[in-house]
Amino acid sequence: MAMKDYSDEFKADAVALYESTPGATYKSIATDLGINRNTLRNWVLRDRERRGVGPDDGRGTRTAVRPTRETASADPDERIRQLEARVAELEANERKLATERDILRKAAKYFGRGDELVISRFQFVDDHRDAFEVKRLCEVLDLNRSSYYKRLAGRDARQARQRADQRLAARIREVHADSGGAYGSPRVTAELKEAGLHVNEKRVARVMRTFAITGIRLRRRVRTTLPDPAAFLVPDLFRRDFTAAEPGRKYMGDVTYLPLADGEFLYLATVLDCFSRKVVGWSIADHMRTDLVADALRMAARTRGSLEGSVFHSDHGAQYGSRAFADLCDQLGVTRSMGAVGSSADNAACESFHASLKRETLQGARDYGDPVTCRNQVFAWLTRYNTRRRHSANGHLSPNEYERRHHTAKLTLAA
C-alpha cells in the first residue's frame, strides 16, 4: 500500500510532542498519533540535524553535535540507523512515484484515444479502486474525493435513468420509423403522449440526441418562380398572415422541383388550406406551364366541392400570373392574392411545406431516381400528410383530424 502523506504542520507538531514529553519513546508517541515508529523517528532526527542537536538514546538525553569526523563516528550504530531511515524514506518515495506512474499509464488507455472513447475520470477511479487507494487516484487525476463518493452514491439512480432512457429510445425509434424518419422531438412527443406515455419534450430531444435519432436536411435549391413581366398587378391580401378562422376561406399555392437521377426534374404544384394546412390539391408534371398550377387548383375545387368566395395566394411565378390562370380563378369564384416580387417570406408557409416534403421523402438522397418512383413517393407522402402526419400549427394533430375536431366543436355549439 502507498505511504500516507502528512503535512509539514503535522510533522512539526509530532516532533514537538515527542521533544516536550519527558520519558517519551518513539513507540508510545507514534502509537498515539497513529503513525509508524520509524516515521516519527526519522522526523525527529531530521529536525535535530537541522537544528544542530545530537540524537538522544530514547530516554531524554541530548548532546550538542559538532560537525567533526570524531562526533559522527562516535556512535556507528546510530549512524547506521540514520542511513537505514534515509534509505527507507527514499524507497517510500520511489514506491509513491511508481504508483503514480502506474495510475497514469492505466489512465492513458481511458483518455488517450480521442473523444469517442473517453470515459470519465470518476469511472476510472471506480474501476481501479481495488488496485490503488482512492485518495491517490484522485490526487493523480486532480479529482475531489468528496465529488467521487457523491457520484458513487448516485450510481444506482443514474443507472436506472439510463435504463429508462434506453426504453424510451426504443419507443422513439418506433415512432420515428413509422413517420418515415421525418418526425423531430415535438411530433414524437405528441405521438407518445397520444399513446399514453407522459413524457417531456426536452427529455425526448435529449434522448434523440444521445441515441443519434435525427432528421434529414436538404442541400439543393432550384429556382421555380419565374415572374411574367406582362402579368396583371394582383394585390397582397394575406400580408404574411397564413392563418384562417374556418376551412375553405384562404388557400395558398406554390411550385417546387423534384430532382430525378438523369439530371431532369418533375415539378409539383400544391394548394394548401390555411386553416389546417391540408393539401386539398396537387399536380405533378414534367413542365412548369400554366396547366400544372391549374390542375392543382381544379383538384382543390373537387376536394372541397367549391372554392366560391375564397382567396388564393401565390408568388409572382409566370404560371400564377398568366391570363389562363386568372380566367380559371374567375370561373371558380376565387380571388387572387400575390406577395411581393422576390420575397420568399410572402409565401413562407408553402416554402416550408415543400421543404418538409423533400426532406422527408428524399431523406438525404440527391434525387428520386426515375419518374415513376418519384410520383409514387410524393403521392404516398401527400396522402399520409393529410391523414396521419402531425403538424405543429395544428397542435400536433394531422390536418384531417384538426378539421374533424373543428367541425365537431361547431356542431356541439350549434346544438
Side-chain angles (χ1 to χ4, degrees), residues 153-173:
R155 179 168 55 185
D156 291 343
R158 191 165 54 253
Q159 290 176 346
R161 286 195 299 271
Q162 290 173 351
R163 290 191 294 270
D165 284 350
Q166 290 172 351
R167 291 192 295 270
L168 178 59
R171 296 288 300 277
I172 290 174
R173 284 195 181 95

Side-chain angles (χ1 to χ4, degrees), residues 65-76 79:
V65 173
R66 293 182 181 179
T68 63
R69 182 178 301 276
E70 290 77 14
T71 301
S73 61
D75 188 357
R79 184 59 177 168

Side-chain angles (χ1 to χ4, degrees), residues 307-365:
L307 300 181
E308 186 74 33
S310 65
V311 177
F312 177 79
H313 182 83
S314 69
D315 58 25
H316 277 265
Q319 307 89 344
Y320 294 113
S322 67
R323 179 73 265 175
F325 188 76
D327 291 343
L328 176 62
C329 288
D330 291 341
Q331 177 185 340
L332 297 175
V334 175
T335 301
R336 289 190 298 156
S337 169
M338 285 188 177
V341 176
S343 175
S344 61
D346 287 348
N347 204 20
C350 273
E351 296 271 354
S352 176
F353 169 80
H354 287 154
S356 296
L357 181 152
K358 285 189 278 189
R359 181 177 63 249
E360 296 177 15
T361 52
L362 284 171
Q363 297 191 0

